[in-house]
Amino acid sequence: MNKRILSLIYFLITVVILVAAIKIINYLPMVIQAGTIREYHSIEEVRSKLNIKDIYIPTYFPQGLVWPPSLVLAQDKPFTAVITEFKKAGKEAPALILSQSASATFRTDEKIRLRGIKEKISYPLKGRNMMLEAGVCDNEEPCSRITWAEGRYTITVTAKSEPPDLLKIAESMVHRLPTRGRHEKN
Amino acid sequence: MPMHISVYFDTYPGMYMAQAFCHSVIAFIMVERAITLWKINSPLIRQRFGLLVILLPIFSFPLYQLINPDRASIAFRLGALFDINRWLNLELGGVPLGALFIIIVFVTTLIFLLQEMVPVLRHTFESKRSGLHAAGSDNNPAVTRAVEQLSAEKPDIFTLDDDEFILFSSTGKNPAIFISTGIIETLSAEQLRAVVAHEIAHIKRNRKPLLLMAFLLRMTMFFNPVVLLEFRRIVQEEEKICDDMAVLSTKDPAALSEALQKLYYRDDVTNPLQLRRFSGMRDSLEEYSHNVQIGNRIARLEYSPVHGKDGKWAELIVTVIIIVGINYFVV
């Protein structure tokens, strides 16, 4: 066989070995340290395995959203964070994303990306000062996002819906009086 | 509010730093394998491959983010081939590995400043102050005789009245070669011709804007230890490239080899690992490594054919595609 082709085959074998090695190295931290971000089957599993007591879930859901959540991601190292996604029946893309994080800089997924924010206002709700943004998503669908500090968490709710629906969702997530001391490490 | 170190690695500068490091490690591994498997001996081609380790990580992160802004998202990170944040967030004995990474970055930056930037700035400043850029060659008869047979365009050659072995070239609009009387008196005419041809090769190479740009871009990777090491190797390859160009010009590899032997090679340099004291180990290490490099260059000139040919472009392209492909999934 041509030496050049043989070298190429050896090179590609090296690539396969390297990719396998990278995957193993990527998996090791999860073995060494529990609590790093991963997918869970349910909110209850997050509560029991990571011992996170305050997980903020709305009691109000706009019509068409499917329970249970389609995706639950959580971590308690290096700081506590929970992301929950909900879909509409028969749809693939998430229609509602809830994120709570003990770090204000936590990068939540932008699966619902607000393009061209039309309005950004500060909105007082149940003693919290919430930041409400309204705009449109990719195919001119109405989308909105609301963010506020809840105890030590920053909560962000993003939905493919108009602001009134989002406000109802946010309102149904907070029941207690506002507490102080946000963004503390666990 | 205690700030966790992981917060920094969620910012764009933090992600750039961490990913550039990972991307250069992968590029380094692939380039090493490519050079070995394709038996690349030409320093010119080896240098071209080495530049991938330096240049690709500069652009990879912004380019990938431009292609897919969701690359920084958790969903992408979870499905990625490698997520460095998993390691940086790891705490071993209460110390986050992210902190160790920051220390490595800090030390690398310090080495870059002290060993690369300061000498370059000092050299530029001193050569300007000492007026070495005076116009016109001083026509030392021995040097003139030695270089008259060189077919290449000859720059100004200045003689420095010094018994030490000093030989260097300056670039710019009026490139010049500076050579000490110590060297002129030590070398034969053939050897003198060979070392001048080597310096002319440096001047020619420094005129290449792409190479110059690559060297300048390298500065943006000041924090990257892999790039620091690779850049040193590239500089060594540059010396070999200029050796080859000199030999192609003089057709006399033995003369250059003998000149290197006379001027720079020492038989009595101690291996620093055999030293029993730490003091002086750094100097000893530098001297030893310099001597090893000179030894390699001498051996190449004596035993290996000179590589004047270009090529291996297909191999280079395959390597680039694979590095770029793998690194897209390394976040």
Side-chain angles (χ1 to χ4, degrees):
Chain A
M1 198 187 291
N2 187 323
K3 268 187 182 176
R4 224 173 166 190
I5 295 172
L6 205 63
S7 298
L8 180 67
I9 293 169
Y10 284 141
F11 190 63
L12 294 177
I13 291 170
T14 305
V15 174
V16 173
I17 294 169
L18 178 71
V19 167
I22 294 170
K23 274 193 101 71
I24 293 167
I25 295 167
N26 191 42
Y27 182 69
L28 283 178
M30 295 177 91
V31 179
I32 299 169
Q33 183 172 276
T36 51
I37 194 150
R38 71 182 73 190
E39 191 176 340
Y40 290 86
H41 293 108
S42 64
I43 307 260
E44 287 67 37
E45 193 187 2
V46 176
R47 280 203 177 99
S48 64
K49 287 198 173 159
L50 296 183
N51 198 24
I52 303 171
K53 292 194 173 63
D54 301 325
I55 298 180
Y56 294 88
I57 296 291
T59 49
Y60 165 80
F61 280 92
Q63 264 196 335
L65 280 179
V66 177
W67 180 272
S70 55
L71 180 73
V72 180
L73 298 170
Q75 65 174 39
D76 69 350
K77 286 213 167 59
F79 50 83
T80 305
V82 183
I83 296 172
T84 321
E85 288 182 10
F86 297 88
K87 287 179 183 169
K88 280 186 175 165
K91 298 271 174 138
E92 267 310 301
L96 172 68
I97 301 176
L98 314 172
S99 155
Q100 71 176 69
S101 161
S103 164
T105 57
F106 183 64
R107 197 175 291 273
T108 52
D109 281 9
E110 293 205 0
K111 286 183 186 169
I112 302 176
R113 187 174 298 139
L114 266 80
R115 299 166 75 94
I117 295 168
K118 290 175 180 167
E119 203 175 359
K120 187 173 181 176
I121 53 161
S122 179
Y123 191 90
L125 187 76
K126 288 192 176 176
R128 280 91 174 158
N129 194 19
M130 301 186 175
M131 183 56 69
L132 176 68
E133 293 164 276
V136 285
C137 281
D138 282 341
N139 36 11
E140 299 302 310
E141 228 178 332
C143 285
S144 45
R145 176 168 54 212
I146 193 162
T147 307
W148 75 95
E150 186 69 39
R152 62 195 184 92
Y153 295 114
T154 294
I155 296 184
T156 304
V157 183
T158 318
K160 285 182 181 170
S161 61
E162 301 278 1
D165 247 355
L166 190 75
L167 285 170
K168 279 187 197 167
I169 295 170
E171 195 176 5
S172 74
M173 287 172 77
V174 286
H175 310 288
R176 289 177 302 199
L177 286 171
T179 51
R180 295 174 69 84
R182 56 186 296 240
H183 303 149
E184 284 164 2
K185 191 180 175 288
N186 262 3
Chain B
M1 185 178 88
M3 186 174 139
H4 200 278
I5 198 132
S6 67
V7 168
Y8 174 66
F9 295 109
D10 276 334
T11 64
Y12 279 109
M15 282 194 283
Y16 181 80
M17 214 172 247
Q19 289 189 32
F21 170 73
C22 294
H23 294 169
S24 58
V25 170
I26 286 169
F28 179 83
I29 295 168
M30 291 320 302
V31 161
E32 278 305 296
R33 291 308 296 152
I35 286 174
T36 311
L37 287 170
W38 281 307
K39 296 183 175 65
I40 298 167
N41 295 317
S42 158
L44 186 71
I45 302 171
R46 286 168 76 106
Q47 191 189 57
R48 202 173 286 151
F49 272 77
L51 280 172
L52 298 181
V53 180
I54 292 176
L55 297 181
L56 289 181
I58 297 174
F59 304 106
S60 56
F61 175 73
L63 187 75
Y64 294 147
Q65 286 303 121
L66 208 66
I67 295 168
N68 179 8
D70 280 344
R71 217 175 140 266
S73 71
I74 295 157
F76 191 93
R77 283 181 171 274
L78 280 171
L81 204 54
F82 182 75
D83 175 6
I84 194 173
N85 278 4
R86 287 188 187 182
W87 280 95
L88 295 175
N89 291 338
L90 210 61
E91 285 182 10
L92 294 180
V95 181
L97 289 187
L100 290 180
F101 181 75
I102 299 264
I103 291 169
I104 292 170
V105 162
F106 179 73
V107 171
T108 308
T109 307
L110 215 61
I111 294 171
F112 166 77
L113 288 173
L114 295 178
Q115 294 207 330
E116 287 186 23
M117 286 313 287
V118 171
V120 167
L121 292 174
R122 198 164 51 195
H123 176 75
T124 312
F125 180 71
E126 280 177 358
S127 45
K128 271 188 182 166
R129 207 176 52 172
S130 61
L132 286 176
H133 291 284
S137 165
D138 60 3
N139 296 321
N140 179 291
V143 179
T144 311
R145 253 196 325 275
V147 300
E148 64 190 3
Q149 285 173 22
L150 284 176
S151 55
E153 184 193 335
K154 293 169 203 82
D156 289 333
I157 301 172
F158 294 97
T159 313
L160 306 171
D161 191 15
D162 200 318
D163 290 339
E164 293 286 316
F165 296 155
I166 305 169
L167 174 66
F168 64 94
S169 52
S170 69
T171 50
K173 273 188 183 172
N174 301 308
I177 294 172
F178 299 90
I179 188 162
S180 69
T181 46
I183 288 186
I184 296 168
E185 283 158 17
T186 307
L187 300 183
S188 68
E190 290 78 22
Q191 291 162 356
L192 204 53
R193 187 181 306 128
V195 294
V196 170
H198 177 95
E199 289 307 316
I200 291 174
H202 272 302
I203 291 170
K204 271 189 189 166
R205 295 271 304 159
N206 282 336
R207 280 188 191 142
K208 294 199 169 200
L210 269 176
L211 195 71
L212 213 72
M213 201 188 290
F215 283 2
L216 287 174
L217 281 171
R218 173 262 173 281
M219 285 198 272
T220 59
M221 285 278 115
F222 63 89
F223 57 87
N224 192 330
V226 182
V227 169
L228 186 84
L229 293 174
E230 189 60 36
F231 185 71
R232 288 184 175 206
R233 285 207 328 186
I234 282 176
V235 171
Q236 288 162 24
E237 296 296 349
E238 184 67 18
E239 290 301 324
K240 290 176 188 168
I241 292 167
C242 292
D243 283 349
D244 287 358
M245 287 170 75
V247 169
L248 285 172
S249 168
T250 62
K251 311 276 185 281
D252 190 358
L256 185 58
S257 157
E258 286 157 13
L260 288 174
Q261 190 105 30
K262 275 187 185 172
L263 299 179
Y264 305 115
Y265 191 71
R266 286 177 57 193
D267 288 323
D268 57 344
V269 174
T270 318
N271 184 337
L273 296 175
Q274 290 168 350
L275 281 179
R276 296 205 172 175
R277 57 192 165 76
F278 279 109
S279 61
M281 195 175 255
R282 185 179 155 271
D283 289 342
S284 172
L285 190 70
E286 268 184 24
E287 191 182 22
Y288 180 74
S289 109
H290 181 251
N291 210 46
V292 167
Q293 286 159 29
I294 295 289
N296 285 341
R297 284 172 62 194
I298 292 169
R300 270 189 80 244
L301 290 164
E302 285 175 357
Y303 304 112
S304 308
V306 166
H307 299 277
K309 284 183 183 169
D310 214 344
K312 303 274 184 195
W313 286 106
E315 288 83 347
L316 186 81
I317 291 166
V318 169
T319 311
V320 170
I321 291 169
I322 285 172
I323 293 171
V324 171
I326 293 177
N327 280 345
Y328 179 76
F329 298 99
V330 172
V331 288

